[in-house]
Amino acid sequence: MDLKDDEGVEIFGVKVRCDYIAYISGRAVGAIEKATKGNEVSSLEFAKAYARFRGFRYAGVISEKLKLYDLKKNEFVDEVELDFIEPNERFGKLVLLFFECTSCKKCE
């Protein structure tokens, strides 16, 4: 798995991004968000919503180790498959809400 900085996307006039986009065999397959103390749940929910918004099958959170969440199976997994889900713009508001939660300096 290769991690690259995420350039992000604009949602309702706000630039939203994860810390990284994960690539396997050169194809984007997941959105990765670093968790900070106090917002691990918000980080996972943000990563899941962001992945659905962008059409990635997997969301992940890096805290002590990388945890990958499969959006098709709705569970954490150790192995990934090289397919996607359809991008879903309805998750835009949720992405923005959780982005603000995970970006809060009070949580760090």
Side-chain angles (χ1 to χ4, degrees), residues 10-57:
E10 188 171 309
I11 301 174
F12 302 113
V14 176
K15 184 75 163 199
V16 177
R17 66 176 200 77
C18 283
D19 289 328
Y20 304 102
I21 298 293
Y23 291 89
I24 297 176
S25 301
R27 296 176 58 184
V29 296
I32 308 297
E33 172 66 23
K34 282 187 181 174
T36 58
K37 287 185 180 178
N39 77 352
E40 291 87 355
V41 172
S42 296
S43 293
L44 176 60
E45 292 305 315
F46 166 70
K48 287 165 47 178
Y50 187 79
R52 288 186 190 281
F53 182 80
R54 298 281 308 264
F56 300 138
R57 179 173 174 173

Side-chain angles (χ1 to χ4, degrees), residues 1-4 21-30 32 56-58 66 68 77-84:
M1 186 178 295
D2 186 25
L3 299 177
K4 304 271 184 186
I21 298 293
Y23 291 89
I24 297 176
S25 301
R27 296 176 58 184
V29 296
I32 308 297
F56 300 138
R57 179 173 174 173
Y58 299 94
L66 173 63
L68 284 177
V77 295
D78 293 323
E79 300 201 13
V80 298
E81 298 175 25
L82 293 177
D83 66 342
F84 296 86

Side-chain angles (χ1 to χ4, degrees), residues 31-32 44 59-69 76-77:
I32 308 297
L44 176 60
V61 174
I62 300 171
S63 53
E64 293 180 15
K65 66 176 188 168
L66 173 63
K67 295 180 183 179
L68 284 177
Y69 189 88
F76 285 99
V77 295

